[in-house]
Amino acid sequence: MSLHPQPIGPVPEETARVAHAVFPHGHTYLRLRDELGPIYEDAVFAGLFPTRGQPAEAPWRLALVTVLQFAEGLTDRQAADAVRSRIDWKYALGLELSDAGFDHTVLSEFRARLVTGQAVDLLLELLLRRAEALGLLRARGRQRTDSTHVLAAVRVLNRLERAGETLRAALNSLAVLAPDWLQGIAPPAWYERYGHRVEHATLPHSEAERRQQAALIGADGQHLLHAIDHAVEQPWLQQVPAVQVLRQVWAEQYVTEAGGLRWREVKEIPTPAEMISSPYDPEARYSSKRSVDWVGYKVHLTETCDPDRPHLIVNVETTPAAVADEVMVPVVHAALARAGRLPAEHLVDAGYTDAPVLLESRRAYGVTLIGPVSEDPSWQARSGDGFTKADFSVDWERQVVTCPAGKHSISWLPHTYPKNGMTWEARFARKDCTPCPLRSRCTRAKLEPRIVGLQTRDHFEALQAARRWQRTDEFRQRYAARAGVEATHAQAVRRSGLRRTRYIGLAKTHVQHVATAAAVNVLRLAAWCAGTPFATTRCSHFSALQPAAR
């Protein structure tokens, strides 16, 4: 396929006449073309195509079809049919009524080009630039970020299923790439053992029998890997992705002892977040959040939330499920800084906030991060009348801590266990702590005095200030707008199928997430241009009676 960028002409006259006759009161996609224009241009995607060969479909149309496809949750085949049959799509795409469209496989090829050319984010970026040109994005406004879980397009496998399916996937891959070699080394029993899908229902149920089955699968996998390592005439077999996955899964699930393999005990295996969960999507990971357990990915959506502008998604980050939210704030801010869209205020939930992140956001990017930080987890804080760190006065210059009873610490030393986030520990004297009438509210140690662990000064003071502020009405009022991002997740899930990825792998899943964000923005921009007001919070019929009853 080759590309020679062409200028984008107006909507064909007959297409416009019929479309306006069919939709006399307007339509989302008609309004999209009239108010925003074509959005995409061929020249932007020119680097993804060669200059020689059969002419390609106009990439600006393929980009817009991809966005419209996710705006309606359509498959590739359904989207291609919509291009052929729907007048509203033909209007948005600037096509003649008689245009027969294209084969649905063109869409998957276009997505592959986006991934290979690292141009996925253009689907969202070009739309946002158009919104900026229309004055619909405010510089240094207010934004909010939240994540939601995304299920991988694979089965959830237990350990034994995972081992069997990993070996079966490797055998199937080798059967395509090196059938004669595999036929020469595969024992007859393998065809019965791995010819069909490995499922829990067909596996042994007793623990002893399952261990025997695990040992048998492990020996078979080791035999295959040994044969691959000694295939000197076909060294490329070691580079087959399914073989590399097999090798990694065997390292996770088995341990070599006395020249053989032993099925690892549960306490010996890596954490679930580190292990491959399925051989068919090695990048998907297991995670849990509150009551939800899943295998797959996580998507972080950042959107504007200024009351006098449309709420548009301005950044999308896709990660494996096990990546913690708190490490994503610098990533999001760096992406927004590159695009010139940093906010003045950034609303996030408690998963994103801690003292270092609060400080780094302000110092590096000039962003005020607004979100609840974790409360003091100590027993003193939980008891209600105990003395927490906030009750101690810290003189950082003199390196002295004063307790609520007025006693001063006698030492200030580096913390013994820096991994818990503490940098210093201040120790009080036994002669002061032991006879103190307030001791029961301060420490539960039988003999030792109170020891106060401290972070660095800036982290300690930022954390204490944040804890005080989040108890105020001002914080609650400013933070209330964060809840609106939940509606964005709901819209993306219901309209575009955000909850489950359509594709295999992190890169292709990110394509879905970016296209979904662009689709949500298209719908919101069209609604804004039509003058549709923001929806109010839903209220049940019973709740609506409350003001009248007063």
Side-chain angles (χ1 to χ4, degrees):
M1 291 293 180
S2 65
L3 176 64
H4 300 280
Q6 301 294 326
I8 300 174
V11 178
E13 183 178 346
E14 184 65 8
T15 301
R17 185 186 68 80
V18 174
H20 288 298
V22 173
F23 301 106
H25 302 294
H27 183 277
T28 297
Y29 299 156
L30 274 64
R31 196 173 296 114
L32 172 70
R33 179 61 189 259
D34 293 340
E35 299 290 342
L36 301 183
I39 301 175
Y40 305 106
E41 295 181 356
D42 285 346
V44 178
F45 302 99
L48 307 181
F49 295 84
T51 56
R52 300 180 63 183
Q54 183 179 355
E57 288 288 338
W60 78 266
R61 285 198 177 100
L62 296 179
L64 186 55
V65 169
T66 300
V67 173
L68 300 184
Q69 172 186 6
F70 281 91
E72 300 190 18
L74 303 180
T75 64
D76 288 354
R77 193 180 298 273
Q78 289 170 332
D81 288 342
V83 174
R84 279 187 287 272
S85 62
R86 287 178 49 174
I87 185 64
D88 54 335
W89 281 51
K90 287 185 181 294
Y91 188 96
L93 297 169
L95 294 173
E96 297 283 355
L97 294 178
S98 58
D99 193 288
F102 48 78
D103 188 80
H104 69 278
T105 58
V106 172
L107 290 174
S108 63
E109 294 172 0
F110 178 66
R111 291 194 300 270
R113 291 183 186 275
L114 291 176
V115 172
T116 303
Q118 299 182 341
V120 174
D121 293 334
L122 287 177
L123 294 177
L124 180 61
E125 175 63 23
L126 296 176
L127 180 60
L128 293 174
R129 290 179 188 175
R130 185 64 184 138
E132 286 174 333
L134 296 175
L136 299 179
L137 280 179
R138 171 176 291 169
R140 285 290 180 172
R142 186 173 63 174
Q143 296 175 12
R144 54 196 177 198
T145 296
D146 198 13
S147 67
T148 191
H149 62 284
V150 178
L151 308 180
V154 294
R155 274 195 305 151
V156 177
L157 305 172
N158 61 40
R159 286 184 64 196
L160 193 52
E161 287 176 314
R162 193 181 315 166
E165 276 296 292
T166 300
L167 179 52
R168 192 173 79 92
L171 291 172
N172 282 328
S173 183
L174 292 171
V176 174
L177 299 173
D180 295 335
W181 176 87
L182 181 60
Q183 195 171 34
I185 65 101
W190 284 13
Y191 296 97
E192 176 65 26
R193 203 172 294 153
Y194 308 109
H196 303 281
R197 191 165 74 171
V198 179
E199 297 183 281
H200 176 74
T202 61
L203 292 171
H205 294 290
S206 71
E207 182 63 22
E209 291 177 328
R210 291 176 72 85
R211 285 183 173 273
Q212 292 177 0
Q213 186 70 20
L216 180 61
I217 294 173
D220 291 343
Q222 189 179 39
H223 176 74
L224 178 61
L225 291 173
H226 181 77
I228 291 172
D229 291 339
H230 288 79
V232 292
E233 296 182 357
Q234 295 168 304
W236 55 269
L237 291 175
Q238 298 187 38
Q239 305 305 317
V240 174
V243 171
Q244 295 178 333
V245 171
L246 174 66
R247 202 179 297 276
Q248 183 174 342
V249 170
W250 254 235
E252 294 169 351
Q253 301 296 340
Y254 295 93
V255 61
T256 303
E257 285 186 352
L261 289 183
R262 176 177 62 81
W263 186 243
R264 290 182 183 269
E265 301 294 335
V266 174
K267 63 183 179 181
E268 296 177 311
I269 63 175
T271 62
E274 298 174 324
M275 292 191 296
I276 289 177
S277 296
S278 171
Y280 304 109
D281 190 351
E283 294 180 292
R285 288 293 183 267
Y286 168 86
S287 188
S288 62
K289 187 175 182 179
R290 292 187 285 273
S291 61
V292 179
D293 299 326
W294 79 99
V295 171
Y297 301 93
K298 192 185 290 185
V299 59
H300 303 257
L301 300 180
T302 301
E303 68 173 2
T304 60
C305 53
D306 296 304
D308 58 344
R309 298 286 196 283
H311 296 168
L312 302 179
I313 299 173
V314 293
N315 189 67
V316 179
E317 301 292 342
T318 306
T319 69
V323 175
D325 289 352
E326 63 186 25
V327 305
M328 293 306 299
V329 171
V331 176
V332 171
H333 285 168
L336 291 171
R338 288 192 298 271
R341 300 192 183 99
L342 281 169
E345 293 184 354
H346 193 176
L347 310 177
V348 295
D349 66 18
Y352 291 90
T353 57
D354 62 15
V357 172
L358 292 173
L359 288 173
E360 180 66 17
S361 299
R362 189 178 303 115
R363 290 174 177 174
Y365 300 104
V367 175
T368 300
L369 199 66
I370 301 177
V373 298
S374 61
E375 291 289 353
D376 192 329
S378 66
W379 70 263
Q380 291 94 335
R382 296 194 305 271
S383 69
D385 64 346
F387 294 130
T388 66
K389 291 179 187 179
D391 297 312
F392 288 73
S393 174
V394 182
D395 188 332
W396 295 93
E397 284 75 17
R398 295 172 53 218
Q399 295 188 336
V400 173
V401 177
T402 304
C403 76
K407 303 298 183 181
H408 302 300
S409 60
I410 61 171
S411 67
W412 179 290
L413 300 172
H415 200 273
T416 309
Y417 303 102
K419 288 185 178 181
N420 68 359
M422 299 297 112
T423 303
W424 307 100
E425 60 179 30
R427 181 185 293 267
F428 288 82
R430 282 191 183 183
K431 65 181 181 63
D432 293 329
C433 280
T434 300
C436 180
L438 303 176
R439 181 180 175 85
S440 63
R441 298 172 59 188
C442 193
T443 179
R444 290 176 176 174
K446 292 183 179 180
L447 299 176
E448 292 298 315
R450 176 70 182 265
I451 301 174
V452 178
L454 297 171
Q455 300 161 289
T456 59
R457 179 175 183 174
D458 52 357
H459 289 176
F460 177 82
E461 292 178 346
L463 182 60
Q464 298 304 324
R467 284 174 176 168
R468 290 191 297 270
W469 186 45
Q470 69 190 26
R471 301 187 189 102
T472 65
D473 290 337
E474 179 192 4
F475 172 84
R476 284 187 282 271
Q477 292 172 1
R478 292 176 66 179
Y479 183 65
R482 190 218 66 88
V485 75
E486 305 290 350
T488 301
H489 288 164
Q491 184 179 15
V493 168
R494 293 169 183 168
R495 291 293 300 254
S496 306
L498 183 70
R499 180 65 67 222
R500 181 180 293 275
T501 178
R502 298 183 178 193
Y503 314 117
I504 299 297
L506 183 66
K508 291 184 178 179
T509 299
H510 184 60
V511 176
Q512 177 178 343
H513 295 165
V514 172
T516 296
V520 170
N521 284 352
V522 160
L523 297 173
R524 292 182 173 183
L525 285 169
W528 180 268
C529 292
T532 305
F534 291 126
T536 57
T537 303
R538 291 183 180 179
C539 179
S540 69
H541 296 297
F542 175 70
S543 297
L545 296 176
Q546 184 176 5
R550 289 180 177 175

